[in-house]
Amino acid sequence: MRLTFSGLFTQCQSNTADTSATSLTYFKQQINTRYQLVLAQLQDYQDIKTATASTVVAQQYYHNPPGYVNIESITVTTSASSSIKYILKPVDSSLDWDILNAIQFTGSAIPLYFFQRRDDFGIWPTPQGVGTITINYIYRDRNLTQSDYTTGSITATNNSQTITGSGTTFTAGMVGRWISVTNDGYWYRISGFTSTTILTIEEAYQGTTGSSLAYTLGECPELPEEAHELLSIGATGDYYAGVRNDLKNATWWNNTFWTGDGNNNDRTGRNIRGGLIGLQKRYSARSNSKIVRKRASQGLLNSKIFATSIS
């Protein structure tokens, strides 16, 4: 079941029967702590983002985009051939990268390779003109911060991607969040902002056309839907362990977080189908192919073994 940030901390309040402002702040903090833990554990469930940057003359290295975990691919268009996207090949070895940079080149050589470092990535040959870098990268989502928005009402039309509000104050910051019409039940990601009363959703609305519809617009974790509830379960365990100093309840909720069974304290993964361990098993079968792999030299220079310069 898809849950928003508001839905998650409301679940925590329900689990603990504690609705105090102090505890609400604690729940929000621990939901995000558990969120980052789940993101780190589900290494095979990956999200891809695209970012762009401009090449700078004689500048070889460029900062990684926000939330960066790993680069999937990079393309570069140059000022001389803006219609051509050059697909850069990864260099996995510092030695290979140093060898490449020992090769002299002249003129506006086309970009060929990239090298990933902790805080930035390099392009070889070093750009000699202004162009566009497009980076497809795996990212780890930022913390959840936004409470649900339900002000006013909306009009939604079957098979249309346009959501029209009445009495709403939509903002550009809502792009990327999710919206659900109360009498439809499905969630749609918001892909565009036009005005305070008009939003666009990624997929066409599948419900019955209607006006003056109640809705919920919220921020959701970038996780498989079956993982959403784990965040409130884990935060509840943290609450009992910390705020309440109740080891028995803390253990039960933590067991539920990891195994789906409050009485199962096994962390080895044997015969576990629920919780985060079960989720890891289900998603481990997904493809985890990456362009960048840490391995021995790829022999990038075989075709240039006798070269001393290129142009």
Side-chain angles (χ1 to χ4, degrees):
M1 179 177 69
R2 179 169 295 281
L3 291 169
T4 64
F5 187 37
S6 290
L8 288 167
F9 61 68
T10 297
Q11 278 196 343
C12 290
Q13 292 174 317
S14 177
N15 292 341
T16 61
D18 188 342
T19 59
S20 67
T22 300
S23 292
L24 177 59
T25 299
Y26 182 82
F27 291 142
K28 290 179 177 180
Q29 172 186 309
Q30 295 310 118
I31 284 168
N32 279 308
T33 298
R34 293 288 178 153
Y35 184 27
Q36 296 304 322
L37 170 61
V38 174
L39 285 170
Q41 293 293 320
L42 292 185
Q43 297 178 13
D44 298 306
Y45 187 83
Q46 297 168 341
D47 293 297
I48 303 295
K49 270 191 174 182
T50 300
T52 58
S54 295
T55 57
V56 178
V57 176
Q59 178 178 317
Q60 184 168 38
Y61 292 97
Y62 300 84
H63 288 295
N64 295 324
Y68 152 89
V69 173
N70 204 356
I71 292 174
E72 280 284 291
S73 65
I74 297 179
T75 63
V76 175
T77 59
T78 67
S79 55
S81 55
S82 58
S83 61
I84 301 175
K85 285 188 175 182
Y86 297 103
I87 302 173
L88 275 58
K89 296 179 180 179
V91 177
D92 299 321
S93 159
S94 295
L95 176 60
D96 280 348
W97 185 247
D98 290 341
I99 293 172
L100 275 175
N101 280 285
I103 298 174
Q104 301 174 3
F105 67 91
T106 59
S108 56
I110 64 173
L112 296 174
Y113 299 107
F114 74 89
F115 181 62
Q116 191 175 338
R117 305 195 301 188
R118 187 190 70 178
D119 299 318
D120 57 18
F121 61 90
I123 295 175
W124 187 90
T126 301
Q128 298 301 302
V130 177
T132 301
I133 308 169
T134 301
I135 312 134
N136 295 307
Y137 66 103
I138 299 165
Y139 76 102
R140 180 166 296 158
D141 198 26
R142 57 182 173 77
N143 284 346
L144 305 170
T145 60
Q146 300 300 315
S147 297
D148 289 353
Y149 183 82
T150 59
T151 300
S153 62
I154 61 171
T155 294
T157 303
N158 180 260
N159 208 34
S160 171
Q161 292 175 265
T162 300
I163 299 294
T164 303
S166 174
T168 58
T169 310
F170 297 143
T171 67
M174 292 175 176
V175 173
R177 298 185 210 170
W178 296 77
I179 189 169
S180 176
V181 179
T182 302
N183 65 356
D184 175 48
Y186 286 108
W187 288 89
Y188 302 87
R189 189 189 288 274
I190 298 168
S191 59
F193 164 80
T194 301
S195 69
T196 56
T197 58
I198 299 177
L199 294 172
T200 304
I201 53 179
E202 283 185 355
E203 302 294 333
Y205 177 64
Q206 298 301 302
T208 303
T209 299
S211 59
S212 301
L213 299 171
Y215 70 97
T216 299
L217 191 158
E219 184 179 31
C220 297
E222 295 296 335
L223 294 169
E225 288 190 26
E226 61 265 40
H228 289 191
E229 191 176 22
L230 290 179
L231 307 186
S232 58
I233 290 171
T236 300
D238 294 336
Y239 168 86
Y240 279 113
V243 176
R244 294 283 287 273
N245 194 25
D246 181 342
L247 183 59
K248 181 179 179 180
N249 271 313
T251 300
W252 193 92
W253 284 100
N254 253 317
N255 285 342
T256 304
F257 173 81
W258 286 103
T259 70
D261 180 353
N263 297 311
N264 187 350
N265 60 6
D266 181 17
R267 301 292 186 266
T268 64
R270 299 188 187 96
N271 300 317
I272 295 175
R273 297 182 180 274
L276 180 54
I277 294 174
L279 198 70
Q280 286 175 293
K281 288 182 178 181
R282 291 195 293 278
Y283 282 87
S284 65
R286 286 194 171 199
S287 171
N288 192 31
S289 61
K290 299 183 183 71
I291 291 178
V292 176
R293 294 185 184 275
K294 297 300 179 185
R295 59 176 182 263
S297 170
Q298 294 177 303
L300 297 173
L301 305 179
N302 288 348
S303 62
K304 304 182 182 66
I305 192 166
F306 299 111
T308 58
S309 65
I310 61 174
S311 61

